[in-house]
Amino acid sequence: MTITAQAPSFGQAAAGYAANRPSCPPCPPVLLPAAEELAGGSSKGARVADAGAGTGLATALLHARGAHVIAVEPGPAMASPLRLRLPDVPPVPGDGNRLPPASGSADLLTCARAWHGSEPRTSVPEAVRVLRPGGTLALRRNDPDSTVPRTAGQDARPRRFFGAGTEEPDPMARFRGLPPELGFVHRQMSWTRNVPLDTPLANLAGCLLREVFPDGTVEERYAVSLAVAPLTPHCDRTPARPARPARTGCRGCRGCRG
């Protein structure tokens, strides 16, 4: 089975991803009802394949709504937190380019940010193969709201620093290459969460740095400064004491009496 090259890099960040990455909007439940409304069906009792399940953030919400979920995840490190979170939903190795479910076996196929790591010429036919006739492909992205000035500035500064581009993020850009014959319907929703300051900082660093350094390593370059004093055997190693300034008008000094 083909596994995308990005899977290991995400695996190296699995612990931080599980701890800091924002989930799908959990309360109030925004995303899944909207997806159900657009798809014209319910998640309860549905056979769902969650491709690129990661640590199980969305898989847990689907499971809680009564769906029979298959978690498709290529990275073993990312799948470990998923097993702890959802012991009843064992992850299955695979990705969007090569889905393990049988043809026509899924009512709903979901995929989040992992979709941009797949090849649409392969992943779209795979999605059509896995879904039953009348099934639904639901793609999602959970990005910081760039309409908030603080968020826009927060995203732009490190991007300028790391040379990742200064253009305003466009969450819909990832979906523009989708085949129009599938008839995608788009909707954007806003939600909030309150977390400690360290959480968004860690999430920002993890997401941005993984884009700039996809293999998970950084080449650091240092400049070593050296100071060497080669002393000769006869060199007086005692630092010379600075001469004391001459005193004028001294009456008690022996040198001034002469």
Side-chain angles (χ1 to χ4, degrees), residues 39-42 45-48 101-109 126-137:
S42 172
R47 298 167 299 172
V48 181
S103 299
S105 63
D107 301 306
L108 174 64
L109 173 62
E126 268 293 273
V128 173
R129 178 189 66 80
V130 167
L131 290 168
R132 63 166 176 80
T136 301
L137 171 61

Side-chain angles (χ1 to χ4, degrees), residues 144 148-159 197 200-201 204 208:
V148 179
R150 176 183 59 81
T151 303
Q154 169 185 287
D155 184 76
R157 284 189 293 272
R159 285 182 176 276
L197 179 60
L201 292 177
L204 176 66
L208 178 62

Side-chain angles (χ1 to χ4, degrees), residues 41-242:
S42 172
S43 299
K44 186 174 182 179
R47 298 167 299 172
V48 181
D50 188 21
T55 60
L57 297 176
T59 312
L61 297 179
L62 289 163
H63 184 263
R65 291 183 72 84
H68 303 294
V69 190
I70 298 175
V72 181
E73 170 53 43
M78 295 290 275
S80 295
L82 191 154
R83 290 190 181 92
L84 295 176
R85 180 177 305 199
L86 298 169
D88 297 333
V89 185
V92 180
D95 59 29
N97 296 320
R98 190 87 177 268
L99 294 167
S103 299
S105 63
D107 301 306
L108 174 64
L109 173 62
T110 65
C111 190
R113 294 179 69 93
W115 183 263
H116 72 257
S118 65
E119 172 51 58
R121 289 175 295 182
T122 304
S123 57
V124 172
E126 268 293 273
V128 173
R129 178 189 66 80
V130 167
L131 290 168
R132 63 166 176 80
T136 301
L137 171 61
L139 307 178
R140 68 189 186 276
R141 283 182 61 88
N142 195 24
D143 296 288
D145 189 349
S146 59
T147 63
V148 179
R150 176 183 59 81
T151 303
Q154 169 185 287
D155 184 76
R157 284 189 293 272
R159 285 182 176 276
R160 286 196 300 267
F161 182 81
F162 288 107
T166 58
E167 65 277 3
E168 183 176 331
D170 182 5
M172 303 307 296
R174 303 288 188 185
F175 301 148
R176 290 199 181 119
L178 296 175
E181 60 269 19
L182 293 183
F184 279 94
V185 180
H186 303 284
R187 179 179 297 181
Q188 283 189 311
M189 297 147 287
S190 180
W191 69 289
T192 61
R193 65 172 184 164
N194 294 314
V195 293
L197 179 60
D198 289 345
T199 300
L201 292 177
N203 179 50
L204 176 66
C207 292
L208 178 62
L209 294 180
R210 289 289 160 185
E211 291 182 12
V212 180
F213 306 105
D215 64 350
T217 61
V218 180
E219 179 184 355
E220 294 186 326
R221 178 173 296 188
Y222 295 89
V224 179
S225 301
L226 184 63
V228 178
L231 303 180
T232 63
H234 304 289
C235 177
D236 184 359
R237 297 174 183 266
T238 303
R241 298 180 62 182

